[in-house]
């Protein structure tokens, strides 16, 4: 029996990498019969094989996380790609992606594209100040931050971000051999076309990157509203001074987080994002 990482799933075949070799396998029927979860790209798996073309996947190791879109397991970081212009930068959408990353205990990394189209330097400063607790990179059509390549080492990365912000272009810059199809932003609709294909892990600077252009739509159906506050890391320290231990920072008196918002230590737009997502989760649970 061998152990390796599942790097591609396509047409019923699972491709498992061990050192420099990739084995083509099929899953044993037990996955369908026993109700076990299906293999996902990124899984650490056990398999049996006498050659590179005919193997059997027999076991999936315990996952630390698993995303539905794209379908990838054991993700270390999500590269949240947002543009300054066309489409305009959205703090709310950025907060959604960051909270989503935190909910899976995945490190968020913010990549802001189209710096060459920006005419408001105050916006860049506002972004840096709001998300100073995270890694932030700014890129443009003519300038690509070389330090961005260093973030992949020993990590499995996926991309996320608003449609049309340049996720495919970014991946093509990082991994020219992919030659991913890129979708231009529709001037009429103000948004891009989805160009997502099957997921495959590609090596980059000692790490692995999912070659899908990423995902732009997320839901918070996997967490409770009481858990959401832990997905806003800038709430952690102020919440220590909350009067009530289970404070959700909504209507409770003597709330440390609300005091921090009033003093400016927590940005108002971050808190507004929290309230909107909280209400979304609350409404979802009531409907179902």
């Amino acid at each position: 029996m061998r152990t390796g990482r599942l790097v591609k799933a396509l047409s019923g075949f699972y491709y498992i990498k061990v050192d420099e070799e990739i084995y083509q396998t099929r899953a044993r029927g037990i996955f369908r019969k026993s109700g076990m979860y299906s293999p996902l790209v990124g899984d650490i798996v056990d398999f049996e094989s006498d050659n590179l073309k005919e193997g059997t996947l027999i076991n999936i190791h315990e996952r630390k996380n698993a995303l539905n879109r794209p379908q990838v397991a054991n993700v270390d970081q999500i590269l949240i790609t947002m543009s300054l212009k066309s489409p305009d930068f959205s703090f709310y959408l950025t907060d959604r992606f960051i909270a989503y990353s935190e909910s899976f205990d995945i490190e968020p990394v913010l990549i802001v594209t189209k710096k060459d189209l920006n005419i408001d330097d105050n916006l860049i400063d506002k972004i840096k100040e709001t998300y100073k607790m995270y890694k932030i990179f700014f890129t443009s059509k003519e300038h690509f931050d070389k330090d961005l390549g260093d973030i992949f080492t020993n990590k499995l990365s996926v991309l996320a971000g608003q449609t049309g912000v340049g996720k495919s272009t970014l991946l093509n810059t990082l991994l020219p051999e992919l030659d991913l199809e890129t979708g231009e932003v529709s001037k009429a609709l103000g948004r891009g076309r989805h160009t997502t294909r099957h997921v495959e892990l590609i090596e980059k600077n000692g790490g692995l990157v999912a070659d899908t252009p990423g995902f732009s739509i997320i839901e918070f159906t996997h967490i409770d509203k009481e858990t959401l506050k832990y997905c806003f890391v800038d709430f952690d320290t102020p919440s220590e001074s909350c009067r009530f231990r289970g404070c959700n920072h909504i209507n409770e008196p003597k709330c440390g987080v609300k005091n921090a918002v009033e003093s400016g230590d927590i940005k108002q737009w971050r808190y507004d994002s929290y309230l909107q997502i909280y209400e979304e989760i609350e409404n979802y649970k009531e409907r179902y």
Side-chain angles (χ1 to χ4, degrees), residues 235-236 238-239 241-242 249 255-262 266 271:
F235 289 12
D236 291 350
S239 67
S241 61
C242 290
H249 322 309
C255 170
V257 169
K258 289 191 290 184
N259 290 338
V261 174
E262 291 179 5
I266 293 176
Y271 183 66

Side-chain angles (χ1 to χ4, degrees), residues 83-85 87-89 112-115 118 123-124 127:
S83 61
L84 288 170
K85 295 287 292 183
D88 292 343
F89 186 88
V112 185
T113 65
K114 304 182 183 181
K115 186 178 179 182
N118 178 62
L123 175 59
I124 293 178
I127 293 170

Side-chain angles (χ1 to χ4, degrees), residues 146 185 197 285:
K146 294 182 180 179
V185 174
R197 303 186 299 183
K285 299 301 182 183

Side-chain angles (χ1 to χ4, degrees), residues 1 12 14 25-34 36-39 46-48 55-60:
M1 186 170 65
Y14 298 97
T25 68
R26 284 191 178 276
R28 195 169 61 174
I30 189 174
F31 292 107
R32 293 187 297 273
K33 295 177 181 178
S34 66
M36 295 173 61
Y37 47 63
S38 299
D46 299 322
F47 68 103
E48 295 176 343
T56 303
L57 193 161
I58 59 176
N59 181 54
I60 302 172

